[in-house]
Short mmCIF file of all heavy atoms in Angstrom, two decimals:
data_model
loop_
_atom_site.label_atom_id
_atom_site.label_comp_id
_atom_site.label_asym_id
_atom_site.label_seq_id
_atom_site.Cartn_x
_atom_site.Cartn_y
_atom_site.Cartn_z
N LYS A 1 88.08 84.53 91.66
CA LYS A 1 89.18 84.62 90.69
C LYS A 1 89.05 85.87 89.84
O LYS A 1 90.04 86.52 89.52
CB LYS A 1 89.23 83.38 89.80
CG LYS A 1 89.47 82.10 90.57
CD LYS A 1 90.82 82.10 91.24
CE LYS A 1 91.08 80.77 91.93
NZ LYS A 1 92.36 80.76 92.62
N ILE A 2 87.82 86.25 89.48
CA ILE A 2 87.61 87.48 88.72
C ILE A 2 88.01 88.68 89.58
O ILE A 2 88.66 89.61 89.09
CB ILE A 2 86.15 87.60 88.23
CG1 ILE A 2 85.88 86.53 87.17
CG2 ILE A 2 85.87 89.00 87.70
CD1 ILE A 2 84.44 86.46 86.70
N GLN A 3 87.68 88.66 90.86
CA GLN A 3 88.08 89.76 91.75
C GLN A 3 89.60 89.85 91.86
O GLN A 3 90.16 90.95 91.91
CB GLN A 3 87.44 89.59 93.13
CG GLN A 3 85.95 89.78 93.14
CD GLN A 3 85.52 91.09 92.53
OE1 GLN A 3 86.07 92.15 92.84
NE2 GLN A 3 84.54 91.06 91.65
N GLU A 4 90.26 88.71 91.86
CA GLU A 4 91.73 88.71 91.90
C GLU A 4 92.29 89.33 90.61
O GLU A 4 93.23 90.13 90.66
CB GLU A 4 92.24 87.28 92.09
CG GLU A 4 93.73 87.20 92.35
CD GLU A 4 94.19 85.80 92.70
OE1 GLU A 4 93.38 84.97 93.15
OE2 GLU A 4 95.40 85.54 92.51
N LEU A 5 91.69 88.98 89.47
CA LEU A 5 92.13 89.58 88.21
C LEU A 5 91.91 91.09 88.23
O LEU A 5 92.78 91.86 87.82
CB LEU A 5 91.38 88.96 87.02
CG LEU A 5 91.70 89.58 85.66
CD1 LEU A 5 93.15 89.31 85.27
CD2 LEU A 5 90.75 89.08 84.59
N ILE A 6 90.76 91.53 88.72
CA ILE A 6 90.47 92.97 88.78
C ILE A 6 91.51 93.70 89.62
O ILE A 6 91.95 94.80 89.25
CB ILE A 6 89.03 93.20 89.29
CG1 ILE A 6 88.03 92.73 88.23
CG2 ILE A 6 88.81 94.67 89.66
CD1 ILE A 6 86.59 92.68 88.70
N ARG A 7 91.95 93.12 90.71
CA ARG A 7 93.02 93.74 91.51
C ARG A 7 94.28 93.91 90.69
O ARG A 7 94.95 94.95 90.75
CB ARG A 7 93.29 92.92 92.77
CG ARG A 7 92.22 93.07 93.84
CD ARG A 7 92.63 92.45 95.16
NE ARG A 7 92.73 90.99 95.11
CZ ARG A 7 91.70 90.17 95.29
NH1 ARG A 7 90.49 90.64 95.51
NH2 ARG A 7 91.88 88.86 95.25
N GLU A 8 94.62 92.88 89.88
CA GLU A 8 95.81 92.96 89.03
C GLU A 8 95.64 94.00 87.92
O GLU A 8 96.60 94.66 87.54
CB GLU A 8 96.11 91.59 88.41
CG GLU A 8 96.55 90.54 89.40
CD GLU A 8 97.87 90.86 90.07
OE1 GLU A 8 98.73 91.52 89.45
OE2 GLU A 8 98.04 90.44 91.23
N LEU A 9 94.41 94.16 87.41
CA LEU A 9 94.16 95.12 86.34
C LEU A 9 94.47 96.54 86.80
O LEU A 9 94.89 97.37 86.00
CB LEU A 9 92.71 95.03 85.86
CG LEU A 9 92.28 93.72 85.23
CD1 LEU A 9 90.80 93.79 84.85
CD2 LEU A 9 93.12 93.38 84.02
N HIS A 10 94.26 96.82 88.07
CA HIS A 10 94.57 98.15 88.61
C HIS A 10 96.07 98.43 88.58
O HIS A 10 96.48 99.59 88.51
CB HIS A 10 94.07 98.28 90.04
CG HIS A 10 92.60 98.50 90.15
ND1 HIS A 10 92.00 99.73 90.03
CD2 HIS A 10 91.59 97.62 90.37
CE1 HIS A 10 90.71 99.61 90.17
NE2 HIS A 10 90.41 98.34 90.37
N ILE A 11 96.87 97.39 88.61
CA ILE A 11 98.33 97.53 88.63
C ILE A 11 98.87 97.58 87.21
O ILE A 11 99.57 98.51 86.83
CB ILE A 11 98.98 96.38 89.42
CG1 ILE A 11 98.47 96.40 90.87
CG2 ILE A 11 100.49 96.47 89.37
CD1 ILE A 11 98.76 95.14 91.65
N GLY A 12 98.55 96.56 86.41
CA GLY A 12 99.03 96.48 85.03
C GLY A 12 100.51 96.19 84.94
O GLY A 12 101.20 96.06 85.96
N PRO A 13 101.01 96.08 83.71
CA PRO A 13 102.44 95.85 83.50
C PRO A 13 103.23 97.12 83.82
O PRO A 13 102.65 98.21 83.94
CB PRO A 13 102.53 95.47 82.02
CG PRO A 13 101.36 96.15 81.40
CD PRO A 13 100.28 96.14 82.43
N PRO A 14 104.56 97.01 83.93
CA PRO A 14 105.38 98.15 84.37
C PRO A 14 105.19 99.46 83.59
O PRO A 14 105.20 100.53 84.19
CB PRO A 14 106.81 97.64 84.23
CG PRO A 14 106.69 96.16 84.36
CD PRO A 14 105.36 95.80 83.75
N ARG A 15 105.01 99.42 82.28
CA ARG A 15 104.92 100.66 81.49
C ARG A 15 103.50 101.22 81.42
O ARG A 15 103.30 102.30 80.88
CB ARG A 15 105.45 100.40 80.08
CG ARG A 15 106.95 100.12 80.08
CD ARG A 15 107.56 99.84 78.72
NE ARG A 15 106.84 100.39 77.62
CZ ARG A 15 106.63 99.79 76.46
NH1 ARG A 15 107.11 98.58 76.27
NH2 ARG A 15 105.96 100.36 75.49
N ALA A 16 102.52 100.52 81.96
CA ALA A 16 101.13 101.00 81.91
C ALA A 16 100.89 102.04 83.00
O ALA A 16 101.56 102.05 84.03
CB ALA A 16 100.17 99.83 82.09
N GLU A 17 99.91 102.90 82.73
CA GLU A 17 99.43 103.86 83.73
C GLU A 17 97.91 103.75 83.74
O GLU A 17 97.24 104.32 82.89
CB GLU A 17 99.86 105.28 83.37
CG GLU A 17 101.36 105.48 83.44
CD GLU A 17 101.80 106.86 82.97
OE1 GLU A 17 100.95 107.75 82.80
OE2 GLU A 17 103.00 107.02 82.74
N VAL A 18 97.40 102.98 84.67
CA VAL A 18 95.97 102.72 84.75
C VAL A 18 95.28 103.87 85.48
O VAL A 18 95.64 104.20 86.61
CB VAL A 18 95.69 101.38 85.47
CG1 VAL A 18 94.20 101.14 85.61
CG2 VAL A 18 96.37 100.23 84.73
N ASP A 19 94.29 104.48 84.81
CA ASP A 19 93.50 105.53 85.44
C ASP A 19 92.28 104.95 86.14
O ASP A 19 92.03 105.23 87.30
CB ASP A 19 93.04 106.57 84.42
CG ASP A 19 94.18 107.40 83.87
OD1 ASP A 19 95.23 107.54 84.56
OD2 ASP A 19 94.05 107.92 82.75
N LYS A 20 91.51 104.14 85.40
CA LYS A 20 90.27 103.56 85.95
C LYS A 20 90.10 102.13 85.49
O LYS A 20 90.47 101.78 84.37
CB LYS A 20 89.05 104.34 85.48
CG LYS A 20 88.94 105.74 85.99
CD LYS A 20 87.66 106.37 85.45
CE LYS A 20 87.62 107.85 85.74
NZ LYS A 20 86.48 108.49 85.08
N VAL A 21 89.48 101.33 86.34
CA VAL A 21 89.02 99.99 85.99
C VAL A 21 87.52 100.00 86.28
O VAL A 21 87.12 100.05 87.44
CB VAL A 21 89.75 98.89 86.81
CG1 VAL A 21 89.17 97.52 86.49
CG2 VAL A 21 91.24 98.94 86.54
N ILE A 22 86.73 100.00 85.22
CA ILE A 22 85.29 100.13 85.34
C ILE A 22 84.65 98.75 85.12
O ILE A 22 84.74 98.20 84.03
CB ILE A 22 84.76 101.14 84.32
CG1 ILE A 22 85.47 102.49 84.52
CG2 ILE A 22 83.25 101.29 84.43
CD1 ILE A 22 85.35 103.43 83.33
N VAL A 23 84.00 98.24 86.14
CA VAL A 23 83.36 96.91 86.09
C VAL A 23 81.86 97.13 86.00
O VAL A 23 81.28 97.81 86.84
CB VAL A 23 83.71 96.07 87.32
CG1 VAL A 23 83.07 94.70 87.24
CG2 VAL A 23 85.22 95.97 87.49
N THR A 24 81.24 96.54 84.99
CA THR A 24 79.79 96.67 84.83
C THR A 24 79.07 95.53 85.53
O THR A 24 79.71 94.61 86.06
CB THR A 24 79.40 96.69 83.34
OG1 THR A 24 79.76 95.45 82.76
CG2 THR A 24 80.08 97.83 82.60
N SER A 25 77.78 95.57 85.50
CA SER A 25 76.97 94.51 86.07
C SER A 25 77.30 93.17 85.42
O SER A 25 77.71 93.14 84.25
CB SER A 25 75.49 94.81 85.87
OG SER A 25 75.15 96.01 86.51
N PRO A 26 77.10 92.08 86.13
CA PRO A 26 77.36 90.76 85.54
C PRO A 26 76.56 90.54 84.25
O PRO A 26 75.45 91.03 84.11
CB PRO A 26 76.92 89.79 86.62
CG PRO A 26 77.03 90.56 87.89
CD PRO A 26 76.68 91.99 87.52
N LEU A 27 77.18 89.82 83.32
CA LEU A 27 76.57 89.48 82.04
C LEU A 27 76.17 88.01 82.03
O LEU A 27 76.59 87.23 82.88
CB LEU A 27 77.57 89.74 80.91
CG LEU A 27 78.15 91.14 80.81
CD1 LEU A 27 79.28 91.16 79.80
CD2 LEU A 27 77.08 92.15 80.44
N ALA A 28 75.41 87.63 81.02
CA ALA A 28 75.04 86.22 80.84
C ALA A 28 76.29 85.41 80.46
O ALA A 28 77.12 85.87 79.66
CB ALA A 28 73.98 86.07 79.76
N LEU A 29 76.43 84.25 81.04
CA LEU A 29 77.57 83.37 80.73
C LEU A 29 77.51 82.92 79.28
O LEU A 29 76.44 82.60 78.75
CB LEU A 29 77.56 82.15 81.64
CG LEU A 29 78.00 82.37 83.07
CD1 LEU A 29 77.69 81.15 83.91
CD2 LEU A 29 79.47 82.70 83.14
N LEU A 30 78.67 82.87 78.64
CA LEU A 30 78.79 82.32 77.28
C LEU A 30 79.52 81.00 77.28
O LEU A 30 79.64 80.35 76.26
CB LEU A 30 79.52 83.32 76.36
CG LEU A 30 78.83 84.66 76.13
CD1 LEU A 30 79.68 85.53 75.21
CD2 LEU A 30 77.44 84.48 75.58
N TYR A 31 80.07 80.62 78.42
CA TYR A 31 80.81 79.36 78.59
C TYR A 31 81.97 79.25 77.60
O TYR A 31 82.17 78.24 76.95
CB TYR A 31 79.87 78.16 78.50
CG TYR A 31 78.80 78.22 79.57
CD1 TYR A 31 77.52 78.69 79.28
CD2 TYR A 31 79.10 77.85 80.88
CE1 TYR A 31 76.55 78.78 80.28
CE2 TYR A 31 78.14 77.94 81.88
CZ TYR A 31 76.88 78.40 81.57
OH TYR A 31 75.92 78.49 82.54
#
């Protein structure tokens, strides 16, 4: 599901212009 969100982040809403989506290493869960 996170990977699906990341795909959407590259697109963004109509007026956005996304240059980069930078994903860091996994973090500790906060629940």
Side-chain angles (χ1 to χ4, degrees):
K1 299 296 184 182
I2 291 175
Q3 291 306 313
E4 189 173 338
L5 176 66
I6 291 170
R7 285 190 292 275
E8 293 295 330
L9 297 178
H10 283 276
I11 300 166
R15 293 179 25 221
E17 294 175 13
V18 177
D19 291 336
K20 293 181 190 173
V21 176
I22 303 162
V23 181
T24 63
S25 299
L27 304 171
L29 285 169
L30 297 180
Y31 300 99

